[in-house]
Amino acid sequence: MMQPRLTRAEQEAVDYGIDLNLLLLNLELTVQQRIEQHQRALDMVNELKKNFDRLHGIPPESSQNSD
Amino acid sequence: MESLLNLLKILTESDIDFVIIGGFAAMIYGSSQVTQDIDLCIAMNPENIEKFRKTLGPYHPVHRMTPQKLSFLKHPEELKGIKNLYVKTDLGVLDILGELPGVGSYSEIASRAIDTEFLGHKVKLVSIDDLIKSKKIVGRPKDHATVLELNVIRERLKK
């Protein structure tokens, strides 16, 4: 099957390793759904981080970061 | 329990005027990057800071950059001349900026912002052009990835 030709922006994103399909799936969601999906992802990241810290004896506060 | 979703909910239910900026704004546009905080741009004046104190009060806000984690409800006493506030609450981290360096003041950012909706409340979202500009200025590797995603999203928005 013929793949649609990528725009320059799309090609740059793909070349950098961005999952274009994942990005386009996000665009199909409503704002509310994107925020809820992000919260689920963040909960999972924080849970994994907490488990990692616990296993390696890292105090909870020292592993926090933000944008 | 930490929840940026709930943090945004209480902010949208307050009477504070703000524009969502940063990684959280990128995520609302559709970026797949996960961010640990909410960044807002506001008119930084004593009245607005008091509004934040009232809204965030039940969630034990502290200045996250201070080693002693000073209470945001008590410090600083003088509210004039503040440029940015970096606050940690029970619900998550909230960074409040009076301007976006290299992009513009709150009034400039707000004049170009777009309206979106969350849980029935109108919220202002930084324009995608301002967001891309600010991410390019910050320039970390993760910002570069976000810029590349936002470039694709901007193209799609124009279609």
Side-chain angles (χ1 to χ4, degrees):
Chain A
M1 199 171 86
M2 287 278 287
Q3 292 294 320
R5 195 186 165 89
L6 298 179
T7 65
R8 190 176 157 187
E10 288 169 343
Q11 191 61 58
E12 279 178 0
V14 169
D15 290 345
Y16 193 74
I18 305 286
D19 187 332
L20 200 58
N21 184 259
L22 191 65
L23 186 62
L24 299 182
L25 282 174
N26 280 347
L27 298 184
E28 290 175 14
L29 303 176
T30 65
V31 165
Q32 178 90 25
Q33 287 169 330
R34 287 174 203 165
I35 294 170
E36 287 168 353
Q37 174 182 265
H38 177 266
Q39 186 60 52
R40 287 193 296 274
L42 189 56
D43 288 345
M44 194 174 71
V45 168
N46 287 338
E47 190 60 31
L48 288 168
K49 207 183 226 177
K50 217 187 294 175
N51 289 340
F52 179 89
D53 288 353
R54 189 171 43 78
L55 283 170
H56 295 272
I58 301 168
E61 279 296 307
S62 65
S63 67
Q64 285 186 356
N65 63 37
S66 62
D67 275 351
Chain B
M1 185 194 163
E2 287 201 17
S3 165
L4 295 184
L5 191 151
N6 287 338
L7 182 55
L8 181 61
K9 185 170 178 284
I10 63 148
L11 290 168
T12 55
E13 287 168 352
S14 76
D15 62 344
I16 309 169
D17 288 325
F18 60 82
V19 178
I20 302 174
I21 58 173
F24 204 83
M27 176 275 294
I28 291 176
Y29 272 112
S31 165
S32 62
Q33 311 295 317
V34 175
T35 184
Q36 299 268 350
D37 64 0
I38 295 179
D39 300 312
L40 302 179
C41 189
I42 68 160
M44 194 66 83
N45 55 48
E47 190 191 346
N48 272 340
I49 296 171
E50 284 296 353
K51 284 183 182 178
F52 271 102
R53 281 182 167 169
K54 191 179 159 199
T55 303
L56 299 176
Y59 307 100
H60 310 102
V62 294
H63 293 277
R64 68 182 181 92
M65 298 292 201
T66 60
Q68 318 92 308
K69 301 286 181 279
L70 293 173
S71 169
F72 171 60
L73 304 178
K74 294 176 186 163
H75 301 275
E77 286 179 25
E78 175 59 60
L79 299 182
K80 283 182 187 164
I82 293 172
K83 291 192 170 174
N84 301 320
L85 292 161
Y86 302 100
V87 180
K88 185 179 186 308
T89 74
D90 294 343
L91 298 176
V93 171
L94 180 66
D95 290 346
I96 308 164
L97 313 184
E99 62 172 21
L100 258 180
V103 183
S105 64
Y106 166 73
S107 56
E108 290 168 324
I109 302 296
S111 70
R112 296 189 288 264
I114 63 160
D115 285 328
T116 186
E117 210 177 275
F118 174 67
L119 296 173
H121 296 275
K122 265 194 180 169
V123 284
K124 282 198 178 297
L125 189 64
V126 64
S127 76
I128 195 162
D129 289 341
D130 283 349
L131 183 55
I132 289 171
K133 197 172 173 186
S134 69
K135 285 282 171 191
K136 280 182 177 171
I137 288 169
V138 180
R140 298 164 298 187
K142 67 175 183 176
D143 295 307
H144 182 60
T146 304
V147 166
L148 293 174
E149 288 192 330
L150 290 171
N151 283 338
V152 174
I153 293 166
R154 181 165 57 180
E155 267 185 357
R156 297 272 164 164
L157 289 174
K158 283 179 183 169
K159 279 181 186 171

